[in-house]
Amino acid sequence: MVLGLFSIIFSFSRVSSGNCKSASLFGLAGLHFRKRHYASWMLLVSFLLDVAVRAMTSHINICSKLGAELNDFAVFTTFGLASALLLGVDGLLSGILAIIYVSAASFHLSFYSSGVPSIYKGLPCPYASCILASTSLLTKGNRFILCCMASLMILFMMDQSYYPYDKILESENWKKLVYIGGVIMLFFSPLSLSAFYCLMWSLSYIFFPDALWGKAACLSPQH
């Protein structure tokens, strides 16, 4: 949640810094570029932390109503609001799409429950956020591509399809290696390479959920 709040700060400061008329054009563009990278990088780190926190709480069997509410608030703040702000709020189209994205994430958290503890209904918000952040880094914040990708993520989050509960750190060793690879990439490799790695990871979860990340991804709730 804290990283998500920092991502929001960087996104807003990137927009508001456009009013600094005294800054040179080159210096201002470089400042926007760095802050956009910071905002996206923090979302990718949050994605990895979310996986670790879920594994930790499952391992030590922590379960409480307050914890569940805090988790939903953290997911909404980071993978909903902060992710939507990558689209920018300085244009009508991107602003409306950002509102729709936040609404979709909120609706997904509030009303989508598969009734089966081992699967999700609709694409989980962290994966949608990871794809948006990776796309932002790879395209250098191209507004058109980001808007197209955000539209797809909204459809995936609101879809009725089922996705497996990705117990990455509690499953096969190769999944743990994928996670460790993501950590290494984010902290010790160029951002473009780490963004591509996270993008492929998230896309594989969308297009090969059952084959790679779980069992019976399309299992119906009554089963």
Side-chain angles (χ1 to χ4, degrees):
M1 183 177 65
V2 172
L3 288 176
L5 291 173
F6 272 111
S7 178
I8 291 173
I9 291 173
F10 281 121
S11 293
F12 270 119
S13 62
R14 174 167 57 91
V15 173
S16 62
S17 61
N19 297 325
C20 300
K21 297 181 180 179
S22 60
S24 66
L25 181 61
F26 179 80
L28 187 59
L31 180 64
H32 285 191
F33 185 76
R34 289 193 300 273
K35 288 184 176 180
R36 180 173 59 243
H37 272 52
Y38 295 153
S40 300
W41 183 81
M42 288 182 178
L43 291 179
L44 293 181
V45 175
S46 298
F47 172 75
L48 294 177
L49 281 177
D50 180 68
V51 174
V53 167
R54 282 189 283 117
M56 179 186 69
T57 54
S58 176
H59 179 70
I60 60 181
N61 196 25
I62 292 180
C63 183
S64 68
K65 182 179 178 180
L66 176 60
E69 292 175 351
L70 286 174
N71 178 73
D72 286 346
F73 182 72
V75 170
F76 171 78
T77 301
T78 305
F79 303 123
L81 183 58
S83 302
L85 289 177
L86 293 179
L87 303 174
V89 292
D90 53 344
L92 180 61
L93 177 61
S94 59
I96 293 175
L97 189 59
I99 292 174
I100 295 174
Y101 188 94
V102 173
S103 301
S106 178
F107 188 89
H108 183 277
L109 288 171
S110 301
F111 301 106
Y112 272 37
S113 176
S114 65
V116 181
S118 59
I119 59 176
Y120 298 112
K121 186 178 180 182
L123 179 67
C125 299
Y127 281 95
S129 173
C130 182
I131 290 176
L132 271 188
S134 300
T135 302
S136 178
L137 289 171
L138 291 172
T139 63
K140 298 181 179 180
N142 185 286
R143 191 66 56 84
F144 176 76
I145 297 177
L146 276 176
C147 286
C148 291
M149 190 63 73
S151 300
L152 287 175
M153 293 304 101
I154 291 172
L155 294 177
F156 277 116
M157 284 191 291
M158 301 304 295
D159 190 17
Q160 299 291 312
S161 299
Y162 292 92
Y163 294 87
Y165 184 64
D166 53 330
K167 295 184 178 181
I168 296 175
L169 296 179
E170 307 162 69
S171 187
E172 297 92 340
N173 288 330
W174 72 266
K175 293 182 182 180
K176 297 176 183 178
L177 290 177
V178 169
Y179 181 86
I180 294 173
V183 174
I184 294 173
M185 286 286 185
L186 276 179
F187 288 97
F188 302 104
S189 69
L191 276 179
S192 58
L193 186 60
S194 58
F196 181 78
Y197 183 91
C198 291
L199 181 63
M200 292 298 101
W201 177 356
S202 299
L203 289 177
S204 70
Y205 179 78
I206 293 178
F207 293 109
F208 308 102
D210 188 26
L212 292 178
W213 299 103
K215 297 179 180 179
C218 298
L219 189 67
S220 59
Q222 58 266 29
H223 292 167

